[in-house]
Amino acid sequence: MMLKGKGWNLQVLTECCCYLIFGYLLFRLTYSGEYLNYVTPRMKPYLYGMSALMLLWTLWEGRNLLTPQYKANLSRSFVFIIPILLLAVRPATPGGSSMIQNYDGPGISMAAGNGGGLLPARGNQTTPSEKKDSMADSQEAFETDTPSENRTATKNTGSPEGITEGIAEGIADESVDESADETVDESVDETAAREDESPWYDLNGLDEDTKTITIADEDYYTWMYELSSFYEKYEGYTVVMKGFIYKDPEIEKISDFALVRLSMWCCAADLSPIGFLVDCSGTLDFKEDDWVVVKGTLEASTDGESLMLKAQSIDRAEKPATEYVYPYF
């Protein structure tokens, strides 16, 4: 039952307050950049859009503010109480090794060639040792000399038919050899073209004269992708990069620790670590979760499954303003 007259509609007033508060808190979270602790930068326009929608919803609902209601049903506003409380009183942002230990995945993403491997290795990704073995096998296969077998097959059998068959087989074998040579040449040309082709992303911090790579915070994922995909090109380079220390029994079988950062594809629920193993060849003066800058030589680990930094120096570093890495260019 609606009562027309003077007064405030308590239900409309409550709902408008909820919409307005929720929209303001969402806008503040987005504008301050704190939203990056929960979702990727790609969500920024949507968050601003939601804030604007809350404002428009408040204005639309406010039309009935002076239309009193016989009995207010405030339970409809309860749906906004939880998100408002979560935005107003946010818990401390989790990070570091605690997120890795809670990550229900197959392992730490380590640069290992062709898009990165895992510790332990996952799927069909090619690790440095596997790639070298594959190249060695291919080389051995191409170097195998088969003409002697062909000559045996084309020996004169003492009859015109045998001679004819031998010639035909010889021509077929030569055709196969020529096709194989053409295929090899095309493969080599394609490989050379890929190596000479410039990447579609910027490789900031690369000094080819001194063979040094300085990885800035904003270029972290770009370099993880580049180094894991084309590690042969950069093997022996000096790499300077920042991350936090993570230790694990499996990691310590191969190296001293892992230097990683957490990557976020969509939201905080899918955080996963990416980085390198580090061999410091000495006493480590830092503890787990400490942020450090490591300068080291890029090489393959002893088991050939991952890339490793042979540390030259390890210095304390400040946690970056944007702690997470967002895996897209």
Side-chain angles (χ1 to χ4, degrees), residues 25-36 48 90:
L25 292 175
L26 193 60
F27 174 82
R28 189 181 71 175
L29 180 72
T30 308
Y31 184 77
S32 66
E34 295 181 21
Y35 76 100
L36 293 174
Y48 276 135
R90 295 189 298 275

Side-chain angles (χ1 to χ4, degrees), residues 252-303:
E252 292 176 336
K253 292 178 181 178
I254 308 172
S255 63
D256 293 297
F257 64 92
L259 183 70
V260 300
R261 292 184 67 170
L262 297 176
S263 65
M264 181 192 297
W265 282 94
C266 176
C267 60
D270 64 10
L271 285 173
S272 59
I274 57 174
F276 288 118
L277 302 176
V278 177
D279 182 11
C280 61
S281 299
T283 304
L284 183 63
D285 297 328
F286 301 95
K287 62 181 184 299
E288 191 171 34
D289 291 336
D290 282 348
W291 282 83
V292 296
V293 173
V294 173
K295 179 180 181 181
T297 305
L298 187 66
E299 58 184 40
S301 60
T302 53
D303 60 1

Side-chain angles (χ1 to χ4, degrees), residues 93-241:
T93 304
S97 60
S98 61
M99 293 302 297
I100 300 178
Q101 292 167 0
N102 294 330
Y103 173 61
D104 188 19
I108 297 179
S109 298
M110 294 294 176
N114 287 349
L118 287 169
L119 185 64
R122 175 181 66 178
N124 296 322
Q125 295 165 324
T126 305
T127 61
S129 61
E130 291 172 346
K131 193 163 187 178
K132 290 179 180 178
D133 291 343
S134 177
M135 293 174 64
D137 293 341
S138 300
Q139 184 67 20
E140 183 179 353
F142 288 133
E143 290 177 353
T144 301
D145 188 10
T146 57
S148 60
E149 298 177 0
N150 295 335
R151 286 194 297 269
T152 302
T154 58
K155 283 184 179 179
N156 187 358
T157 58
S159 65
E161 292 81 2
I163 296 174
T164 304
E165 291 175 0
I167 294 174
E169 291 177 3
I171 294 174
D173 291 336
E174 289 178 0
S175 175
V176 171
D177 291 340
E178 289 176 358
S179 300
D181 291 340
E182 290 177 359
T183 303
V184 172
D185 292 339
E186 291 176 359
S187 177
V188 171
D189 291 340
E190 291 177 0
T191 303
R194 280 199 303 269
E195 291 178 352
D196 294 338
E197 184 180 358
S198 299
W200 66 89
Y201 43 85
D202 295 329
L203 295 177
N204 300 317
L206 173 63
D207 188 341
E208 294 184 346
D209 294 333
T210 61
K211 291 191 174 182
T212 301
I213 301 171
T214 303
I215 302 177
D217 292 336
E218 59 272 17
D219 300 318
Y220 189 90
Y221 181 76
T222 302
W223 273 112
M224 290 299 102
Y225 176 86
E226 175 71 10
L227 294 175
S228 64
S229 299
F230 311 104
Y231 70 93
E232 303 98 334
K233 181 179 178 181
Y234 301 101
E235 194 167 3
Y237 272 59
T238 298
V239 178
V240 181
M241 60 182 289

